Amino acid sequence: MSAAVERERSEPVGKAPYHVSHHTHRDVSGGWLRPAVFGAMDGLVSNLALMTGVAGGNVAPSTIVITGLAGLTAGAFSMAAGEYTSVASQRELVEAELDIERRELARHPKDELRELAELYVARGVEPELAHEVARQMSRDPEQALEIHAREELGVDPADLPSPLVAAGSSFLSFGIGALLPVLPYLLGATVVWPAVIVALIGLFVCGAAVARVTARNWWFSGLRQLVLGGAAAGVTFVLGALFGTAVG
């Protein structure tokens, strides 16, 4: 989390100093961190719960390993496919709206100019100044399209999300998270507790990392995720034990 920082600088100008205040803000959009952390967290919780549920049924360690690897693979592909479809659909919708705006700018430039000026007026700019600003900013068709897209659609035409990037990052982050509870078994563990401990540590780290894009303390976010993930694992373990007894 890049905390807001304020810095004051004084320099002499003649006989009187002037003060310039500088500050920065946290990344409220989350950038790359939010989808990466939440993807890993999703993989951790879902695969940990899946493996503890199977372990509750008193099955062989090899069965738990196969279950964990299958959950990792299926979950990662599912996340990637879902993220790709979601982002691709969103991008296609935005591009369709941009095409409509592009045609309107070509067919009715005066109406679009008036519309842009009215947006500025609604924000408190005087009518004459708003019209002049809109006129100057509409000289370049591509710049006019970008401005209308930002003002009316809330998007930047030059910065649309990539479906492939979204799918790839979701696949990798989910896979890394889902791999953690499997690792102890791959390294020779024969009981479920090492997998639970490793997964809970991973959940705490992911929760603490989420604090980079929130106002919460890192320990609070970490403990919250640890408790939620632990509760999910505990419930599925009990259910697995009950189902295993019933089936047996």
Side-chain angles (χ1 to χ4, degrees):
M1 171 175 54
S2 59
V5 178
E6 290 197 359
R7 177 164 53 89
E8 191 174 88
R9 181 181 62 199
S10 300
E11 294 181 2
V13 179
K15 293 183 179 181
Y18 73 97
H19 301 278
V20 180
S21 178
H22 300 274
H23 68 279
T24 58
H25 295 283
R26 285 186 297 269
D27 181 5
V28 296
S29 68
W32 61 268
L33 180 65
R34 185 191 62 82
V37 170
F38 280 99
M41 223 182 293
D42 192 8
L44 263 168
V45 174
S46 62
N47 218 29
L48 173 63
L50 178 64
M51 292 174 63
T52 54
V54 173
N58 196 26
V59 299
S62 59
T63 302
I64 300 175
V65 173
I66 293 172
T67 300
L69 293 176
L72 184 160
T73 305
F77 277 108
S78 176
M79 283 286 292
E83 196 69 18
Y84 181 90
T85 302
S86 175
V87 174
S89 299
Q90 180 186 10
R91 185 181 179 113
E92 289 163 1
L93 175 61
V94 171
E95 289 176 342
E97 293 298 317
L98 289 175
D99 287 339
I100 293 174
E101 194 64 38
R102 189 178 287 107
R103 288 196 298 270
E104 289 299 309
L105 284 167
R107 295 173 181 174
H108 309 290
K110 292 183 179 179
D111 291 338
E112 292 297 310
L113 178 63
R114 187 184 310 111
E115 183 180 15
L116 185 59
E118 290 173 353
L119 285 172
Y120 293 141
V121 170
R123 295 185 177 183
V125 181
E126 295 183 1
E128 290 186 7
L129 179 59
H131 182 80
E132 179 61 21
V133 171
R135 185 186 67 80
Q136 292 188 26
M137 299 183 76
S138 299
R139 290 173 178 171
D140 179 17
E142 288 304 314
Q143 177 176 272
L145 176 63
E146 179 181 342
I147 294 170
H148 280 270
R150 288 178 180 273
E151 296 292 340
E152 298 177 31
L153 302 176
V155 298
D156 183 355
D159 191 28
L160 297 181
S162 167
L164 288 175
V165 171
S169 61
S170 295
F171 183 92
L172 288 175
S173 61
F174 185 97
I176 291 171
L179 179 63
L180 286 182
V182 185
L183 278 178
Y185 280 99
L186 296 178
L187 295 176
T190 57
V191 292
V192 74
W193 301 115
V196 172
I197 292 172
V198 169
L200 291 180
I201 292 173
L203 285 170
F204 181 85
V205 172
C206 286
V210 171
R212 289 182 59 88
V213 291
T214 68
R216 291 288 188 181
N217 291 325
W218 63 270
W219 59 265
F220 176 87
S221 296
L223 285 176
R224 177 176 59 183
Q225 197 57 43
L226 185 151
V227 169
L228 292 174
V235 170
T236 53
F237 182 85
V238 171
L239 291 176
L242 293 175
F243 295 153
T245 302
V247 172

